[in-house]
Amino acid sequence: YVVFFFSSRRRHTRFLPVSWARRCVQETGVKRVVDYAVKVRVKSDNSAVELNNIKMSMNPFCEIALEEAVRLKEAKNFLEVVAVSIGPKQANETLRTALAIGADKAIHIKTEERIDQRVQPIHIAKILRKLIERDNYNLVLLGKQAIDDDYNQTGQLLAGFLNWPQATFASKVEVDGQNLQVTREIDGGLMTVAMSLPAVVTCDLRLNQPRFATLPNIMKAKKKPLEEIDLSSFGIDLSNNLEILKVETPAARKGGVKVETVDELSLIHI
């Protein structure tokens, strides 16, 4: 799982001057999911999506959040980007990609439990809260949702646990000292909200266009620090009230029909 945080190097942030944000560190999180271009297959026992021998990559919304974190650092608003991922040992590859894109360091929360089933958003939010309390982060940037489970819950839950302001579905993020101005995508158009840090922001599709990792940066990423922590060390109870009974492939869609007039369309039973 991937998320983005911005952290201060000092504990007593309320006493820092307006230029405080320029001395902060960003932490970013990224989730390892089935690549968006891969045709998903269901296991023969209908218990879950097949993950063996499948191309995996960074969740597209997490890529957008990572790109925004790097851009904020490049704009001198923050000093550092830290990438965080929760998942199996292969999540290291996703974190190395994040480091190649522009993160300065990474944290891997290791678990062999399925992140798309066993580890739910409420568990992830609790883990991130403990990590924030340990490292004193100030801003969390998350993808609005993951394309494997589509929950769209982690950012909101995390903000609730921390009692921080939040802005979801962000299409524009602006930093002004210790304040944020975020443009949100809503059903009726756009909404602009202002808040003070610390805060949680979840990123939507139109926030930016993520960059590609260049070969020189891929090589540099191998030397950047990557901390590994066992999920069990957080003391999070992974039990939950949600039970997945069955996973099925969607039924095949029927072919379309061409009609010449609106009257013909009204006669077709869909």
Side-chain angles (χ1 to χ4, degrees):
Y1 194 82
V2 181
V3 287
F4 305 91
F5 310 92
F6 301 84
S7 73
S8 169
R9 289 183 176 177
R10 300 186 184 182
R11 290 286 174 183
H12 306 293
T13 56
R14 69 180 66 183
F15 302 115
L16 293 179
V18 175
S19 60
W20 160 80
R22 290 177 173 80
R23 294 197 292 274
C24 287
V25 181
Q26 305 181 62
E27 180 176 290
T28 66
V30 287
K31 186 175 185 180
R32 180 175 178 267
V33 298
V34 176
D35 188 88
Y36 72 93
V38 170
K39 184 177 180 180
V40 175
R41 293 185 290 110
V42 175
K43 285 186 172 183
S44 58
D45 61 358
N46 293 106
S47 62
V49 170
E50 181 61 69
L51 299 182
N52 294 326
N53 302 314
I54 295 293
K55 181 183 178 183
M56 308 289 285
S57 61
M58 189 186 302
N59 176 49
F61 291 104
C62 293
E63 283 188 276
I64 293 168
L66 175 60
E67 174 66 26
E68 192 64 21
V70 174
R71 291 187 185 190
L72 289 173
K73 183 188 75 169
E74 291 173 342
K76 310 293 185 185
N77 289 308
F78 298 88
L79 282 179
E80 195 172 60
V81 177
V82 181
V84 181
S85 187
I86 302 173
K89 61 182 180 180
Q90 294 89 342
N92 260 324
E93 302 169 8
T94 306
L95 284 171
R96 289 297 176 189
T97 300
L99 292 169
I101 289 172
D104 299 286
K105 60 180 67 173
I107 300 174
H108 180 194
I109 312 300
K110 297 189 298 181
T111 178
E112 293 305 315
E113 299 284 358
R114 285 190 65 124
I115 303 301
D116 61 335
Q117 288 191 339
R118 176 68 171 165
V119 184
Q120 296 291 309
I122 191 169
H123 305 135
I124 294 167
K126 289 179 178 179
I127 293 167
L128 296 179
R129 177 182 61 177
K130 287 181 175 288
L131 197 59
I132 292 166
E133 291 170 349
R134 186 195 78 165
D135 294 340
N136 197 31
Y137 298 118
N138 298 99
L139 175 62
V140 182
L141 272 176
L142 300 166
K144 70 168 185 177
Q145 66 194 72
I147 62 171
D148 54 358
D149 51 31
D150 276 332
Y151 277 126
N152 179 25
Q153 295 176 2
T154 304
Q156 294 88 327
L157 287 167
L158 178 60
F161 287 145
L162 294 169
N163 196 27
W164 285 6
Q166 62 175 305
T168 55
F169 318 124
S171 61
K172 186 176 182 180
V173 178
E174 297 175 286
V175 179
D176 180 16
Q178 299 186 45
N179 301 304
L180 290 180
Q181 184 167 294
V182 181
T183 302
R184 304 179 57 239
E185 296 197 5
I186 60 175
D187 291 342
L190 299 175
M191 172 190 291
T192 301
V193 295
M195 64 195 70
S196 59
L197 294 174
V200 177
V201 176
T202 69
C203 303
D204 214 328
L205 187 65
R206 280 159 286 278
L207 179 58
N208 59 52
Q209 179 63 45
R211 72 193 70 188
F212 291 102
T214 62
L215 182 57
N217 286 334
I218 291 173
M219 301 306 293
K220 291 177 184 177
K222 296 179 180 180
K223 298 181 180 180
K224 292 182 179 180
L226 195 159
E227 179 185 2
E228 294 186 342
I229 308 172
D230 286 327
L231 187 150
S232 58
S233 67
F234 288 92
I236 302 295
D237 181 8
L238 295 183
S239 61
N240 60 71
N241 296 323
L242 177 64
E243 180 185 0
I244 297 178
L245 301 178
K246 193 175 184 180
V247 178
E248 295 180 300
T249 302
R253 295 180 62 181
K254 296 180 180 180
V257 179
K258 273 189 173 183
V259 296
E260 298 295 333
T261 66
V262 175
D263 293 334
E264 288 183 56
L265 181 63
S266 64
L267 298 175
I268 297 175
H269 297 285
I270 300 176

